[in-house]
Amino acid sequence: MASVAPARPGTEAVELSVVVRQLRWEAAGVVSVELCAADGRELPPWRPGAHIELVLPTGIARQYSLCGSPEERSCYRIGVLRERGSRGGSEYVHAFLRPGQPVRVRGPRDNFGFGPASAYLFIAGGIGITPILPMVREAADRGVPWQLAYGGRTAASMAFLDGLRQYPEQVWLYPEDQVGRIPLHEWLDQPRPGTVIYACGPEPLLSAVEAAAAHWEPGAVRMERFRAWPKPARPNTEIEVVCARSNRTVTVPADRSVLAALQDEGVPVTGSCREGVCGTCETRVLDGDPEHRDDILSEDDRRAGDRMFICVSRARGPRLVLDI
């Protein structure tokens, strides 16, 4: 398994049988979970920003960012917030998951894309700290200048503070009940050439970051969303999808997604979130003009038009040829 490369979003990711090694309280309502391969072998490698899909015994599958060290190949570490109104994933982890219990994981996949920069500004809200943690460690290890603004509803709810205390000069904490929200205008008013912003957290924070950093250079803001960003409704039309490898042609009705229509016809495609945020259904586009509706691809990726997320995206024209 040591030869397995970190999966790009939507590439064929590994499915593994793993065992829960440890659960640990990290803050009020947040537990970290360590997962080890059931056969004791090394787990596939990953890069800061990657996530795995945890498949619970109930059949529920949820995506969680990896927050441990990429150098630690014996286990994966995730942080799970016990969410109010949980659809069953975080509630099961907190209420029923225990050491020694077998589960499955798919991945890792990397939608966040932590890349080289002259300096970094990390902005995290709540459980959004999880994909940021390994980025912070790598920036510190490489000696690249960085700063972290980390906010939460209360100090007690802010996870992984122990590990961040070793960086007193780079980390600013904003528990809302004590000091208010992250003052984005102070952090983002003055663009910093060469600095890349990585942000993760609830949608109000990410929308505020986008607005406050709109005058920064293109590509300076990179973020990962928990859920799809609200978008204006777009009219759908019937399209034709040619599956090149399967030698199949499927008509996708206006009221069905490409993913759902292909699955209806027995074409072997997979999806998970069905909101364009997890990357599971990424598919190569061989011909045609995709209409992107995901929350993953950068503007450069969208212009390239060589891949799409078929759970939400469609076509600008009547026909697409996909590598399926």
Side-chain angles (χ1 to χ4, degrees), residues 148-305:
L148 166 63
Y150 175 23
R153 286 194 176 92
T154 66
S157 71
M158 296 172 68
F160 305 106
L161 292 183
D162 288 347
L164 292 171
R165 296 192 198 282
Q166 63 182 301
Y167 309 113
E169 302 299 320
Q170 287 94 6
V171 176
W172 279 258
L173 303 178
Y174 296 95
E176 189 175 341
D177 63 330
Q178 297 178 15
V179 300
R181 297 180 180 179
I182 300 172
L184 295 176
H185 62 284
E186 296 179 11
W187 284 99
L188 302 175
D189 269 358
Q190 295 299 319
R192 309 180 201 176
T195 296
V196 177
I197 301 166
Y198 281 87
C200 186
E203 184 55 43
L205 173 65
L206 299 187
S207 295
V209 169
E210 283 185 315
H215 58 299
W216 284 50
E217 59 188 7
V221 181
R222 303 176 188 177
M223 54 184 57
E224 185 166 62
R225 288 183 153 91
F226 299 144
R227 293 184 174 86
W229 180 62
K231 305 175 185 68
R234 304 186 196 181
N236 292 335
T237 59
E238 182 179 283
I239 61 173
E240 182 180 82
V241 172
V242 178
C243 305
R245 280 191 284 124
S246 303
N247 196 27
R248 299 274 303 278
T249 297
V250 175
T251 298
V252 180
D255 62 349
R256 299 290 281 168
S257 69
V258 175
L259 174 67
L262 294 180
Q263 289 179 330
D264 290 345
E265 295 298 319
V267 178
V269 289
T270 59
S272 182
C273 72
R274 298 179 187 265
E275 295 182 334
V277 295
C278 78
T280 303
C281 67
E282 186 194 7
T283 304
R284 279 208 312 142
V285 178
L286 303 180
D287 191 33
D289 186 9
E291 182 187 84
H292 299 291
R293 302 182 182 182
D294 63 274
D295 288 298
I296 298 173
L297 295 177
S298 68
E299 288 306 314
D300 287 344
D301 291 332
R302 292 171 187 269
R303 282 190 289 270

Side-chain angles (χ1 to χ4, degrees), residues 20 37 39 70 80 87 106 118 134 155 160 178 191 230 244 254 270 272 286 290 299 310 319:
V20 178
D39 58 11
V80 181
R87 293 173 294 169
R106 301 185 186 117
S118 300
F160 305 106
Q178 297 178 15
T270 59
S272 182
L286 303 180
E299 288 306 314
I310 60 175
R319 184 174 179 269

